[in-house]
Amino acid sequence: MFERIWEYLSRHIKIAFKSVFFNFKQYSCFFAAIFIIQLLFGMMAISATNNNSVAYDQIAEEYKYHYVIRNLTPGQYDWLKEYGKNDAGIIDKNRQTYYILTEEDGMPPIVRKNVVENKEEYDVFIRFGKLDRDTGKMQSIDKIKEYCDRFEKNYVSKLASLEVGYATPNFTTERTLLLDYESRVAANTATFAVIAVVLLALSIFLLTSIYNIRLNQYKFTYGIYMTFGADFKMLFATAFWEMFVIMLATFIPAALVSTLVVFLIYLPSGFKFAFDFTMILLLFVFSTLVVLISVIMPMFVTSKRRPMSLIVTEDNSNLVTSPRKSFNLLGKSFPGHYEMYSLWRFRKYNIQLLTSAIIFCALFICGLYLANIYTTDLNYPRTQFTIEINDEATIVDTYSASFSESIQGINAQFREDFKEELQKFDKDGEKFSETFNAITGIEPTGNATPKPGDLDEKEGPTTEARYIQSFLLVNNKDVKPFATGFIAYNREDVADKPYEGEGSYKVTNNVVYKAVDNNNRDDLLAFLSQYTIEGDVNKIFESTPEKQYVIVGDSISNISTFNFKEGDKIVAATKIGQATEVDSNLTGTNLLRAQIMCYYYKYTELEVCAVIKDIPSGSVPVYVLNHQEYNSATNQKVDVNAAYKDITGREALTTKLNVYTYDAKYGEKDVFQMTDEHITYIENALRKMISEDRRNSTGAIVVTDLNQLAENNIKEDEHYSELYVAISVLILCISPIIWFFSQILYYFKREKEFNIIQSMGANGSDIRKIYLIGGISMSVLSFIVSIVLSYLASYLMFYAYNVIVPSFSGEYVRYTFYMPWYALVIAVVMSVSCGFFSAYLPYKSYFKNRYSLENGGGGKDDE
């Protein structure tokens, strides 16, 4: 059986080999195209394997432990120490399930004083499994996870039963990124699968386009084959084995080059380069699949044609589109008018060529845009810690005055404890070590807890207008053209007396109301200062019940939507009753229209004092004042300005704080870099601050490390930005392949036309002008088409990442519209030069073959 298979393969490969290499010029573009396809996939496949290794090495470098247990009571801590010994395990004697890290490991248990209970509480760091004595490495992830599962099942449940009468919140557990590695690998695999599908579609499109060009120019040959009985099976086999031989010839060079490129990209990371030979096998399978699919449809369509129809269209007649009117060439200049008419005659061919070739220039720009998006994402400020406030009692009054002061105390202590590290970055006239803040900002969030009747109570603490049946009225002049998500405000349709204002209005419920209070003003203003602001944000604190100032964003779903400026008026509508029920099946603007018709509203006029130009947004943020002060005489809080509460119907409670830490920008060199040691220091300081100073006044508080520094370090070492740039350059190289292959065959087919023209009296100079006019015309058209396609492709990328992707990820990052001038120049120059030289080179070839002119009666006229 194997002998028959080998005989079948060797016979077809030998025949295809002779066909390809005896006609090498005819197949040269396929060598280039398949080589580029293999490079594209090879780079992504090898980098996917390497990313998994880099991620693990990065995590292992930053985390010496697998598990954290926080807020243990003394009894729980002592019990955990005792049963961590080899001879005291719950499961097996003389078998150590876990190990509590000590000062010798660099991670001793953290001890805090709880002022409420007047007792100590402990945070412990746990490692599962043992180090391998021979290699010094930890056991496999699967084994460690098995230990962790056993620990949670048997030990954690026992811990919960100890110290039941302790009044403070129970202990919390947390798995570190080391135990999350499997899910990370699964996510990387899913990402690679998506990329592979995209590359497969792109590769099939490329190879099919080129093969269709070849097929179109060799219809006569295939027509002859079919007159001798060739069917789809035979045509397909011939085409496939020819492409397969080319794929074999380029496979090893492509595998070596892609490995070398990825190695050089990852070299700066300093981690061991991981290479998996299965990726090379996957590259072979991918290449074979591309070749197989790319020739099926062209050969199937050809096999369904009548042989004679292929034979009679051996010239360019199938590319000709009837002008539907006769051109009167008498009295017209030649060859100018003649070739311009030819451009119209061959418009179908020209459109196909321009779009198929220039689309790869547009994809080149998209690839660079993707690299820019990746860099923007790395530099985007993200929360390192969250502080969730579970007791709403007095946090609004105490949060700013106490927390901000304590945060600055942590920053001062950090500067003192890491003074030597920071001083390395002091410069003349600038004392970095004296001004550095490890905690760069706190964002108060979680405006209010949902109430029964909200359209989505599961959304958590939020005041989205669409959830509380509110909406915003905006003057038409303040809404940009083509903005979506708005409806016209028809006063005749509303259930109650409408807001009586001047001008016509548009209405939207893509609004989120955010509370501003004097107690959180410093932290809020520090948070907003990272964005571009027009106007005076401090003016919001001058609001009175008669004149309410607000700070607003300029966008919905990250798309600039409004023309707001300081002094503009907007109106917030608050539901106060209803005339009839609203159909629960309605959504979007239909729901909003029905609510306006069926509900009663009151209207609050607001004046814009500042506009935030580039804040990330799903719904437009509207910051409204809600200031309360404590009245010692009545022992109650008194509303000084309750605009937020009046509009939303909710108390303005800060239920969550987002804590931002210092993070050097991606790509910056010779700057201070935060490490896991620094992050652990800040986290411990936050917990100590809350435990010792704040729990008695603010209730239950939970601090969570979101591991943002570690995630950023992993993303940086994955080098996707460099990979996208390399891939973009490869994609750009596809464009000239299509240009020259198509144009050379096109003008080769027109040579007989030129011979006839010469026989009618045209000289070599006239023929030369035909080529030049064709080249210049294609250059002009390619200039226009490349700019249009590049702009459209960039905008689609911009829209996808600002609007579509956040709807799945839930995270809004503001990406600017990006079409770099240098990339556009490269794409345009590539298209224009290819448009011209792809016509000029066939002209040079035409006059080197004078025998064709002589046979056509053209003689040897001067060029």
Side-chain angles (χ1 to χ4, degrees):
M1 179 180 177
F2 289 107
E3 292 180 357
R4 290 182 179 180
I5 294 175
W6 175 253
E7 182 183 353
Y8 173 81
L9 292 175
S10 60
R11 183 175 70 254
H12 283 83
I13 290 176
K14 186 181 295 184
I15 295 171
F17 179 85
K18 291 179 180 179
S19 175
V20 168
F21 286 93
F22 287 161
N23 301 280
F24 182 78
K25 287 185 178 180
Q26 186 184 135
Y27 291 96
S28 58
C29 69
F30 289 99
F31 280 92
I34 293 177
F35 180 72
I36 290 175
I37 288 171
Q38 290 172 330
L39 276 182
L40 288 172
F41 184 81
M43 289 168 56
M44 294 309 302
I46 295 169
S47 65
T49 300
N50 206 63
N51 283 343
N52 291 334
S53 175
V54 166
Y56 182 78
D57 290 343
Q58 181 71 56
I59 294 170
E61 186 177 278
E62 294 193 15
Y63 290 93
K64 304 178 180 67
Y65 50 94
H66 303 109
Y67 205 77
V68 185
I69 307 180
R70 302 192 184 277
N71 304 329
L72 287 171
T73 65
Q76 290 170 328
Y77 173 61
D78 291 338
W79 182 89
L80 199 61
K81 283 197 304 180
E82 177 64 24
Y83 279 88
K85 299 177 181 178
N86 286 343
D87 58 351
I90 291 179
I91 307 300
D92 298 309
K93 301 296 183 182
N94 302 317
R95 183 174 180 179
Q96 192 172 28
T97 302
Y98 62 92
Y99 170 71
I100 299 176
L101 272 65
T102 63
E103 190 167 353
E104 295 179 358
D105 304 303
M107 291 297 296
I110 297 172
V111 187
R112 293 186 297 272
K113 184 74 171 180
N114 187 314
V115 296
V116 176
E117 298 291 337
N118 195 27
K119 295 180 182 178
E120 293 179 335
E121 59 185 21
Y122 299 82
D123 293 349
V124 298
F125 305 90
I126 293 175
R127 189 168 61 209
F128 299 111
K130 298 181 179 179
L131 291 172
D132 189 294
R133 294 182 179 179
D134 297 327
T135 63
K137 294 183 178 180
M138 293 297 297
Q139 293 173 312
S140 68
I141 292 293
D142 290 339
K143 194 68 176 176
I144 291 172
K145 200 169 183 181
E146 179 185 329
Y147 276 108
C148 181
D149 293 340
R150 178 188 302 167
F151 177 81
E152 289 183 331
K153 180 180 179 181
N154 298 284
Y155 290 82
V156 173
S157 60
K158 180 63 177 177
L159 276 175
S161 66
L162 301 175
E163 304 285 355
V164 176
Y166 207 73
T168 57
N170 294 330
F171 66 89
T172 61
T173 62
E174 175 187 335
R175 294 189 178 201
T176 67
L177 295 181
L178 275 176
L179 285 171
D180 188 42
Y181 180 70
E182 283 184 341
S183 61
R184 186 179 301 275
V185 171
N188 287 345
T189 302
T191 302
F192 173 66
V194 172
I195 293 174
V197 171
V198 173
L199 287 179
L200 181 65
L202 181 66
S203 302
I204 292 171
F205 171 76
L206 166 62
L207 206 57
T208 302
S209 299
I210 297 177
Y211 206 85
N212 276 327
I213 294 171
R214 179 183 184 278
L215 197 59
N216 185 70
Q217 303 295 346
Y218 288 92
K219 280 187 169 67
F220 178 80
T221 303
Y222 286 101
I224 297 297
Y225 290 162
M226 292 172 66
T227 59
F228 284 91
D231 57 4
F232 166 71
K233 183 178 180 182
M234 298 175 67
L235 292 175
F236 168 74
T238 301
F240 169 75
W241 288 112
E242 287 174 349
M243 294 298 104
F244 185 77
V245 165
I246 297 174
M247 185 269 288
L248 287 179
T250 58
F251 175 71
I252 293 178
L256 293 175
V257 172
S258 56
T259 303
L260 178 61
V261 171
V262 175
F263 172 77
L264 293 176
I265 288 175
Y266 282 83
L267 187 61
S269 297
F271 295 108
K272 181 181 178 182
F273 182 73
F275 183 80
D276 188 351
F277 280 98
T278 59
M279 292 296 104
I280 302 302
L281 178 61
L282 193 59
L283 172 60
F284 182 86
V285 173
F286 177 86
S287 304
T288 304
L289 190 61
V290 170
V291 167
L292 179 68
I293 298 175
S294 298
V295 297
I296 286 179
M297 188 54 65
M299 288 295 99
F300 178 78
V301 173
T302 300
S303 68
K304 296 301 179 182
R305 299 282 299 275
R306 290 180 301 166
M308 190 54 64
S309 67
L310 297 174
I311 292 173
V312 298
T313 57
E314 59 93 10
D315 58 7
N316 285 317
S317 60
N318 64 304
L319 298 176
V320 177
T321 303
S322 172
R324 300 186 181 277
K325 63 179 290 187
S326 297
F327 292 130
N328 183 11
L329 292 174
L330 297 176
K332 302 293 184 181
S333 63
F334 181 85
H337 281 86
Y338 175 83
E339 188 56 23
M340 294 306 293
Y341 291 151
S342 294
L343 285 174
W344 181 250
R345 282 192 302 137
F346 292 106
R347 62 185 180 274
K348 178 180 178 182
Y349 163 78
N350 292 331
I351 292 172
Q352 290 177 348
L353 173 61
L354 287 168
T355 53
S356 59
I358 295 176
I359 194 172
F360 290 100
C361 292
L363 290 175
F364 161 71
I365 293 179
C366 285
L368 295 181
Y369 194 176
L370 200 59
N372 175 267
I373 285 174
Y374 188 77
T375 303
T376 301
D377 197 67
L378 282 173
N379 290 330
Y380 182 73
R382 285 185 171 85
T383 306
Q384 180 67 43
F385 302 102
T386 60
I387 302 178
E388 295 184 60
I389 305 163
N390 301 321
D391 185 351
E392 301 174 352
T394 57
I395 188 60
V396 173
D397 291 329
T398 61
Y399 141 65
S400 181
S402 58
F403 271 71
S404 293
E405 181 182 343
S406 299
I407 290 299
Q408 294 308 313
I410 292 175
N411 279 332
Q413 191 61 46
F414 186 96
R415 289 192 290 268
E416 182 65 28
D417 291 345
F418 295 97
K419 186 175 183 178
E420 293 184 4
E421 287 186 44
L422 296 171
Q423 284 178 338
K424 296 177 182 178
F425 301 93
D426 284 345
K427 298 178 181 179
D428 295 337
E430 181 182 345
K431 294 294 184 180
F432 179 80
S433 59
E434 296 178 4
T435 59
F436 175 79
N437 285 330
I439 299 176
T440 55
I442 297 180
E443 177 193 9
T445 184
N447 296 136
T449 304
K451 292 183 176 181
D454 289 357
L455 294 186
D456 195 340
E457 295 181 37
K458 296 180 180 179
E459 283 294 317
T462 185
T463 44
E464 292 270 357
R466 61 180 179 270
Y467 298 146
I468 59 176
Q469 295 89 43
S470 175
F471 59 84
L472 199 68
L473 291 93
V474 183
N475 273 291
N476 275 340
K477 66 180 181 62
D478 293 329
V479 180
K480 291 187 175 181
F482 310 110
T484 59
F486 292 86
I487 62 172
Y489 180 62
N490 190 339
R491 299 180 180 182
E492 296 178 358
D493 290 341
V494 297
D496 62 335
K497 184 179 179 180
Y499 172 74
E500 298 294 343
E502 295 182 359
S504 56
Y505 286 83
K506 286 185 177 179
V507 178
T508 181
N509 59 2
N510 292 316
V511 182
V512 57
Y513 301 107
K514 294 178 176 287
V516 179
D517 190 279
N518 278 342
N519 290 320
N520 66 22
R521 66 181 295 169
D522 293 337
D523 292 323
L524 177 67
L525 296 181
F527 169 73
L528 294 179
S529 66
Q530 63 185 316
Y531 304 110
T532 304
I533 298 177
E534 292 183 0
D536 182 9
V537 292
N538 289 288
K539 203 170 184 179
I540 194 173
F541 300 103
E542 301 174 9
S543 296
T544 64
E546 294 76 27
K547 191 168 188 177
Q548 300 290 347
Y549 292 103
V550 292
I551 304 170
V552 298
D554 73 331
S555 63
I556 294 176
S557 295
N558 284 338
I559 303 295
S560 182
T561 306
F562 300 100
N563 296 313
F564 289 136
K565 60 183 182 298
E566 188 176 2
D568 283 342
K569 302 292 179 63
I570 59 177
V571 180
T574 305
K575 178 188 174 185
I576 56 176
Q578 65 184 52
T580 59
E581 293 287 341
V582 172
D583 187 350
S584 60
N585 295 319
L586 295 176
T587 58
T589 54
N590 290 328
L591 174 62
L592 177 57
R593 186 175 287 106
Q595 288 176 343
I596 294 175
M597 292 175 61
C598 300
Y599 293 162
Y600 296 109
Y601 288 93
K602 70 174 182 180
Y603 299 89
T604 306
E605 185 176 283
L606 308 167
E607 182 174 323
V608 176
C609 67
V611 183
I612 314 170
K613 288 293 185 179
D614 52 359
I615 189 169
S617 64
S619 299
V620 57
V622 177
Y623 291 85
V624 187
L625 186 66
N626 197 102
H627 179 49
Q628 294 178 318
E629 290 184 357
Y630 182 74
N631 189 323
S632 58
T634 61
N635 199 29
Q636 292 180 341
K637 290 182 289 185
V638 179
D639 289 328
V640 178
N641 191 313
Y644 173 86
K645 183 178 178 181
D646 290 342
I647 292 171
T648 65
R650 279 120 178 101
E651 294 286 347
L653 297 173
T654 300
T655 56
K656 184 179 179 182
L657 306 175
N658 293 331
V659 181
Y660 296 84
T661 57
Y662 174 83
D663 187 18
K665 297 296 183 182
Y666 173 64
E668 286 186 348
K669 305 297 182 183
D670 300 324
V671 296
F672 179 72
Q673 301 286 341
M674 295 281 278
T675 66
D676 182 61
E677 178 186 2
H678 301 137
I679 295 298
T680 301
Y681 177 94
I682 296 171
E683 181 178 8
N684 293 336
L686 285 172
R687 294 180 184 280
K688 183 177 181 181
M689 175 194 76
I690 292 168
S691 177
E692 295 184 352
D693 303 325
R694 299 290 168 257
R695 181 172 290 167
N696 58 336
S697 61
T698 59
I701 295 179
V702 177
V703 178
T704 304
D705 182 5
L706 301 182
N707 301 305
Q708 192 54 51
L709 177 68
E711 294 289 353
N712 261 22
N713 289 338
I714 292 170
K715 287 181 179 179
E716 287 185 20
D717 290 331
E718 288 178 340
H719 294 288
Y720 273 116
S721 182
E722 292 88 343
L723 279 171
Y724 292 146
V725 172
I727 288 172
S728 299
V729 173
L730 286 175
I731 289 175
L732 182 64
C733 293
I734 295 173
S735 186
I737 294 174
I738 295 178
W739 270 112
F740 285 96
F741 183 60
S742 181
Q743 288 283 77
I744 287 172
L745 292 179
Y746 167 75
Y747 278 104
F748 174 73
K749 286 294 185 180
R750 291 191 68 187
E751 286 184 0
K752 292 181 180 179
E753 174 191 344
F754 300 151
N755 291 342
I756 294 173
I757 293 174
Q758 282 193 310
S759 69
M760 297 174 66
N763 57 33
S765 179
D766 292 330
I767 303 301
R768 178 174 180 268
K769 288 180 180 178
I770 289 177
Y771 280 97
L772 290 176
I773 292 172
I776 293 172
S777 300
M778 293 304 289
S779 295
V780 173
L781 290 173
S782 62
F783 175 80
I784 298 171
V785 174
S786 60
I787 290 179
V788 172
L789 282 183
S790 297
Y791 181 86
L792 288 176
S794 295
Y795 187 81
L796 288 175
M797 184 75 73
F798 163 79
Y799 187 84
Y801 273 88
N802 277 283
V803 180
I804 299 175
V805 172
S807 64
F808 294 99
S809 66
E811 180 185 37
Y812 283 87
V813 178
R814 189 74 174 266
Y815 301 106
T816 57
F817 180 74
Y818 180 77
M819 192 166 66
W821 67 266
Y822 62 87
L824 183 60
V825 169
I826 291 173
V828 170
V829 169
M830 171 73 78
S831 299
V832 171
S833 59
C834 286
F836 178 78
F837 286 106
S838 63
Y840 184 75
L841 290 182
Y843 154 73
K844 300 294 290 183
S845 176
Y846 175 62
F847 277 96
K848 285 182 180 179
N849 298 292
R850 300 294 294 180
Y851 70 90
S852 63
L853 298 180
E854 294 173 353
N855 292 336
K860 294 184 179 182
D861 295 329
D862 294 334
E863 298 180 19

